[in-house]
Amino acid sequence: MQRTITGTTGPGRAAGRTARTGPPRRTDARRPQPGAAARHRERERVTRYWFAERLLLALSGQRPVHWMIGHTLADAYERLAALAQGTPLRPPPPGRAPFVWRCDEFRPRPGVIEAFARIASGDRVQALAFRLEQGPDERWRCAAVELGGDRA
């Protein structure tokens, strides 16, 4: 739909130009909120959530551990592989897949993030703590993982 603007509409605007109009905008509180998919995409941009999701997938058996090889330092990868053999975050039967409920961080110094996540699976919540270190190439890598008291 187009309409013609007949007068000047403000400084520097020409009279008689055409403008596109759309449906009236909602300005009340009933505006639809972003869905779960949009929230998930927003979380993926945050480093700690990105790593928490990937560690969860490896520890729940949904992805192979070698999927994390380029994102972990050698010692952490070896312990992660040993820990993942028991799939400690596998959902209890007939539970739904575990998910990162919340993840927070502490930055003790530049280039280091100590993060902790709450992993929800059915009616239980487990703790996942991990340390991220930024290398000379500016990439973040997982340097340590702890799961429910087990160090990896």
Side-chain angles (χ1 to χ4, degrees):
M1 168 186 249
Q2 291 187 352
R3 66 184 170 104
T4 303
I5 300 171
T6 55
T8 56
T9 57
R13 295 200 178 161
R17 68 182 181 92
T18 323
R20 280 206 181 270
T21 62
R25 297 186 63 195
R26 289 173 85 170
T27 58
D28 60 3
R30 297 177 301 149
R31 169 166 266 147
Q33 298 299 315
R39 283 191 305 272
H40 183 72
R41 282 190 304 274
E42 188 64 34
R43 283 174 134 189
E44 283 286 312
R45 295 183 186 142
V46 179
T47 303
R48 67 180 183 263
Y49 274 103
W50 191 90
F51 272 92
E53 289 285 339
R54 275 141 187 84
L55 289 169
L56 168 64
L57 292 173
L59 291 170
S60 65
Q62 297 177 57
R63 289 284 195 170
V65 178
H66 69 267
W67 186 56
M68 290 294 295
I69 202 163
H71 304 292
T72 53
L73 298 178
D75 292 340
Y77 177 77
E78 289 176 20
R79 273 304 281 152
L80 180 63
L83 206 106
Q85 286 179 353
T87 57
L89 295 178
R90 183 172 299 283
R96 71 179 225 198
F99 63 95
V100 177
W101 180 25
R102 183 166 175 149
C103 188
D104 293 303
E105 71 180 38
F106 171 69
R107 293 184 182 237
R109 65 178 188 266
V112 175
I113 296 175
E114 293 182 353
F116 48 97
R118 294 163 195 90
I119 308 297
S121 179
D123 60 347
R124 67 181 182 179
V125 176
Q126 288 184 290
L128 172 67
F130 52 97
R131 180 183 178 96
L132 304 174
E133 294 179 1
Q134 195 171 27
D137 60 355
E138 300 295 316
R139 291 181 52 205
W140 289 97
R141 289 183 181 84
C142 184
V145 178
E146 291 185 27
L147 178 67
D150 295 327
R151 290 177 180 241

